[in-house]
Amino acid sequence: MLTIRDRTQADLDRCVEVLQHVYDKDGYPVQGTATAHHFLQHGVQRAWVAEQDGVIIGHAAIGIASDADVAVALWQKLHPGEPVAVLERLFVDPRCRGSGAATSLIKTAVQWSAQVHVQLVLFALVKDQVAIHLYDRLGWNRFGTVPFHFGDGQKMDAICLSSPAST
């Protein structure tokens, strides 16, 4: 049985293990997992885990909006003054993909954003077509494409998306 619940401090070690599986398969996060505990906690205002039969298999967080995030910067340019937060640090153990965990985590975040009256935004790199397809399927709205700079002078286009209204 799949359940979504608030992430606790006690969940972090297991979340790091899952993130390592994701990194080994997909190379996400780009900077690796050496600072994974910091990555999962820094700048986060809310986080959830997905559990399958009591075992954590996925994670999602709401990050504090910053102009350093390309989706936030574009959204604020297009919609000045509108409250915004970032859906980020979303990952599911590769061995559990297809379980509905990502969809359930995203829907939980969208419901939270409706309750607190804040618009969720995110960006997905163009290489991440599976993720982009998932957001499209869940009704997220594309509001622009911008360059994303990473690593040592590397650049790739990023699709910026905003959450749908909660149902």
Side-chain angles (χ1 to χ4, degrees), residues 54-157:
V55 177
I56 293 172
I57 63 166
H59 179 276
I62 302 296
I64 298 167
S66 163
D67 284 343
D69 183 295
V70 296
V72 171
L74 181 58
W75 185 264
Q76 290 179 335
K77 181 178 176 183
L78 298 171
H79 306 276
E82 185 173 330
V84 65
V86 183
L87 175 62
E88 58 189 16
R89 298 169 185 133
L90 173 66
F91 55 89
V92 173
D93 191 316
R95 300 168 296 188
C96 300
R97 290 183 180 159
S99 66
T103 295
S104 294
L105 286 162
I106 293 167
K107 286 181 176 181
T108 298
V110 169
Q111 289 171 350
W112 171 86
S113 72
Q115 291 170 354
V116 299
H117 308 288
V118 65
Q119 178 64 53
L120 288 183
V121 299
L122 60 83
F123 69 88
L125 297 176
V126 294
K127 72 175 184 65
D128 297 324
Q129 287 298 307
V130 172
I132 292 168
H133 176 72
L134 174 62
Y135 292 115
D136 285 344
R137 185 172 55 80
L138 294 176
W140 285 61
N141 306 296
R142 296 180 189 207
F143 64 93
T145 301
V146 296
F148 176 73
H149 301 273
F150 62 98
D152 190 21
Q154 298 177 14
K155 179 175 78 166
M156 183 178 293
D157 280 346

Side-chain angles (χ1 to χ4, degrees), residues 3-61:
T3 57
I4 306 298
R5 64 170 175 79
D6 288 333
R7 186 195 72 201
T8 68
Q9 193 70 20
D11 297 327
L12 286 173
D13 287 343
R14 174 63 186 154
C15 289
V16 169
E17 289 176 26
V18 173
L19 186 59
Q20 184 63 54
H21 294 300
V22 171
Y23 183 76
D24 291 344
K25 174 140 179 71
D26 302 329
Y28 169 82
V30 174
Q31 72 273 15
T33 58
T35 59
H37 279 88
H38 179 76
F39 172 74
L40 292 175
Q41 297 177 85
H42 181 72
V44 170
Q45 55 181 310
R46 187 78 189 257
W48 300 273
V49 294
E51 289 183 325
Q52 183 78 48
D53 299 322
V55 177
I56 293 172
I57 63 166
H59 179 276

